[in-house]
Amino acid sequence: MEKNIKINVLLVEDNEVDAMAFERQVAKHDLPYAYQRANSIAAAKKLLDDTHFDIALLDHQLKDGTSMQLIETINDTPTILITGNGNEDLVVKAMNAGAYDYIVKDSGGNYLTTLPSKVNNAIKRFRT
């Protein structure tokens, strides 16, 4: 992605610590992300109805459901599943439903270092 073009990101995350870690990563590495956060499936659906996003980053387990409820309905936005467990069945199910990639969270937040390349790759795949 070009440096001066902002990527419009939907972050679906209900954990405040994980959301803050994402925000710190964006600021620390000056990532070209304009992002909005939803902390539930319902809030994410409303944002998706009102706004075009280049990519959606979806925490799997939310208070009002799971990322599968979004992955299966979002057709015009590439999605990346972010999960706290490395359950292979979940990842396969998400990829079969249309997720472009996945990231497994680790307690140190190191998973966020892979975010820029995964976001760029998913957007490129979606556009082609």
Side-chain angles (χ1 to χ4, degrees):
M1 300 285 115
E2 293 181 36
K3 182 72 172 165
N4 42 352
I5 295 177
K6 290 282 187 184
I7 298 169
N8 200 16
V9 177
L10 172 60
L11 175 65
V12 182
E13 176 61 72
D14 63 352
N15 182 294
E16 290 298 322
V17 172
D18 289 338
M20 288 173 28
F22 170 82
E23 292 170 5
R24 278 193 308 273
Q25 184 77 4
V26 169
K28 178 180 177 183
H29 296 286
D30 195 26
L31 297 175
Y33 299 168
Y35 58 90
Q36 294 185 55
R37 178 180 165 219
N39 62 5
S40 68
I41 298 294
K45 286 181 177 180
K46 176 151 180 35
L47 282 172
L48 285 160
D49 286 343
D50 297 341
T51 307
H52 167 76
F53 292 96
D54 297 311
I55 189 131
L57 307 175
L58 311 175
D59 182 30
H60 176 62
Q61 192 65 49
L62 299 157
K63 292 177 181 102
D64 64 342
T66 71
S67 61
M68 294 305 294
Q69 293 168 269
L70 291 172
I71 292 170
E72 293 171 345
T73 61
I74 301 173
N75 297 321
D76 61 345
T77 304
T79 59
I80 296 177
L81 171 69
I82 301 175
T83 180
N85 70 42
N87 181 327
E88 290 178 13
D89 291 335
L90 168 64
V91 171
V92 169
K93 187 176 178 181
M95 300 294 277
N96 286 338
Y100 276 66
D101 209 339
Y102 70 96
I103 300 172
V104 177
K105 292 181 186 178
D106 60 274
S107 60
N110 295 319
Y111 69 95
L112 291 169
T113 61
T114 65
L115 196 59
S117 64
K118 289 188 178 273
V119 165
N120 289 341
N121 289 339
I123 291 172
K124 284 178 188 173
R125 278 186 40 220
F126 179 75
R127 289 181 179 165
T128 58

